[in-house]
Amino acid sequence: MPYAKELRIAQLAVQRATLLTKSVFHTTAKGTVSKEDHSPVTVGDFGAQALIISALRHHFPDDEIVAEEEAAELIANKPLSERIWSYVQATMLEDESAEQELGGPIQSEQEMLDAIDMGKSPGGAKGRIWAIDPIDGTKGFLRGGQYAVCLALMVDGDVKVGVLGCPNLPVDDSAPLDAHAGENQTDAEGKGVIFSAVLGEGATSGALSRGALSKEAPIHMKPIEDITQATFCESVESGHSSHSDQAAIAKLLGITKPSVRMDSQAKYGSIARGAGDLYLRLPVRADYEEKIWDHAAGDLIVREAGGEVTDVTGKRLDFTLGRTLKANKGVVAAPKAVHGKILEAVKQVLSSK
Ligand SMILES: Nc1ncnc2c1ncn2[C@@H]1O[C@H](COP(=O)(O)OS(=O)(=O)O)[C@@H](OP(=O)(O)O)[C@H]1O
Ligand SMILES: [Mg+2]
């Protein structure tokens, strides 16, 4: 299979990083570092990013990396850096040979800071570039809801590999889609799923357990027979996507079921496995540029599961333009067969504003 090594390393790196986020969740204030209105950051964001980058550096030293966080704040704040270092040191895969496969532990606090700062690539249309979001949906993470550890490889601007670790989604692909799914479930009861895709090879889901990665199964979007019965996913945050425009689109399509609100790229994974049908992300602010790390893995997973992902004008998401999706506005993800119809409704609602 093409990109077999990249996929394997990406899956293990995501699995290990999710372990760190889970231990951070159980600490005071859930490891919150700063809590600005729009982008809270936690100890988990930095630690997970360090662990992922160290594995990528070990295997693919020449690849570029676009990652959300930077080390500047930690370099200026020694106690914070030490706190993160203690989590990074303590996080290991249970499967020792898999841990070794990732290149083993980071050796020092300085090496951890250096790893965090290796995610500053400007991105672009040429070469091999990894995109990392160590905790996507930080607000969801803080509320005990959905979040995702996201990793994607782009080659010449095309997403080739995508992996999403979703520790708070049920592993069962057929579990009913529920905004509170997983909240009352333990890992032993089947919480935690890893979604993966390689371009041209389909998408899969499997258990994001502590031990060896379980065998994965192919996933597919659910064919929609009657659009009025569709379930659509949207962000929890009304500042990230327009709940009112999304409600108007649903109404125009005759959809009566309430939306399922969840944070992070867990939305892409959920529709890819047929738990939900559509993902609508209508822009709130015209000047906001979506970040590539918020979409690269999910875009590929949905497309490989039989879906189509475009922006609100019908253009494919364009990952060649740097760290943001400058050429796109919003996201419309749906099974291929109905995407055109959904897009028509999106355009109609936007043009009537
Ligand atoms: N104004 C605006 N518009 C659109 N998107 C924005 C905006 N501001 C932030 N963000 C990004 O949204 C990411 C989280 O997406 P979600 O909406 O799925 O999750 S959440 O409900 O916000 O938690 C979130 O990712 P994380 O910061 O990793 O949580 C942000 O990168
Ligand atoms: Mg994000």
Short mmCIF file of all heavy atoms in Angstrom, two decimals, residues 68 133 135-137 293-294, ligand 2:
data_model
loop_
_atom_site.label_atom_id
_atom_site.label_comp_id
_atom_site.label_asym_id
_atom_site.label_seq_id
_atom_site.Cartn_x
_atom_site.Cartn_y
_atom_site.Cartn_z
N GLU A 68 0.15 23.74 15.20
CA GLU A 68 -0.57 24.89 15.75
C GLU A 68 0.23 25.66 16.81
O GLU A 68 0.18 26.88 16.86
CB GLU A 68 -1.91 24.42 16.34
CG GLU A 68 -2.74 25.59 16.81
CD GLU A 68 -4.19 25.26 17.10
OE1 GLU A 68 -4.56 24.08 17.11
OE2 GLU A 68 -4.96 26.23 17.31
N ASP A 133 -2.69 19.21 14.48
CA ASP A 133 -3.45 19.92 15.51
C ASP A 133 -3.45 19.02 16.74
O ASP A 133 -4.14 18.01 16.77
CB ASP A 133 -4.89 20.21 15.05
CG ASP A 133 -5.58 21.20 15.99
OD1 ASP A 133 -5.10 21.36 17.13
OD2 ASP A 133 -6.59 21.79 15.58
N ILE A 135 -4.52 19.29 19.86
CA ILE A 135 -5.87 19.14 20.43
C ILE A 135 -6.79 20.05 19.63
O ILE A 135 -6.78 21.27 19.80
CB ILE A 135 -5.96 19.53 21.93
CG1 ILE A 135 -5.09 18.59 22.78
CG2 ILE A 135 -7.42 19.46 22.41
CD1 ILE A 135 -5.26 18.79 24.30
N ASP A 136 -7.54 19.44 18.75
CA ASP A 136 -8.53 20.21 17.99
C ASP A 136 -9.82 20.18 18.81
O ASP A 136 -10.21 19.13 19.31
CB ASP A 136 -8.73 19.55 16.63
CG ASP A 136 -9.74 20.31 15.78
OD1 ASP A 136 -9.80 21.55 15.88
OD2 ASP A 136 -10.48 19.65 15.03
N GLY A 137 -10.44 21.36 18.94
CA GLY A 137 -11.64 21.43 19.78
C GLY A 137 -11.23 21.51 21.25
O GLY A 137 -11.74 20.78 22.10
N TRP A 293 -4.62 22.69 9.63
CA TRP A 293 -4.61 21.58 10.60
C TRP A 293 -6.01 21.27 11.13
O TRP A 293 -6.21 20.23 11.74
CB TRP A 293 -3.63 21.86 11.74
CG TRP A 293 -3.87 23.19 12.43
CD1 TRP A 293 -4.84 23.47 13.36
CD2 TRP A 293 -3.11 24.41 12.25
NE1 TRP A 293 -4.75 24.79 13.76
CE2 TRP A 293 -3.69 25.38 13.11
CE3 TRP A 293 -2.02 24.76 11.47
CZ2 TRP A 293 -3.19 26.69 13.18
CZ3 TRP A 293 -1.54 26.06 11.55
CH2 TRP A 293 -2.12 27.01 12.39
N ASP A 294 -6.95 22.18 10.94
CA ASP A 294 -8.32 21.93 11.39
C ASP A 294 -9.12 21.11 10.37
O ASP A 294 -10.28 20.76 10.65
CB ASP A 294 -9.07 23.25 11.64
CG ASP A 294 -8.66 23.90 12.96
OD1 ASP A 294 -8.34 23.15 13.91
OD2 ASP A 294 -8.68 25.14 13.04
MG MG B 2 -8.12 23.08 15.79
#
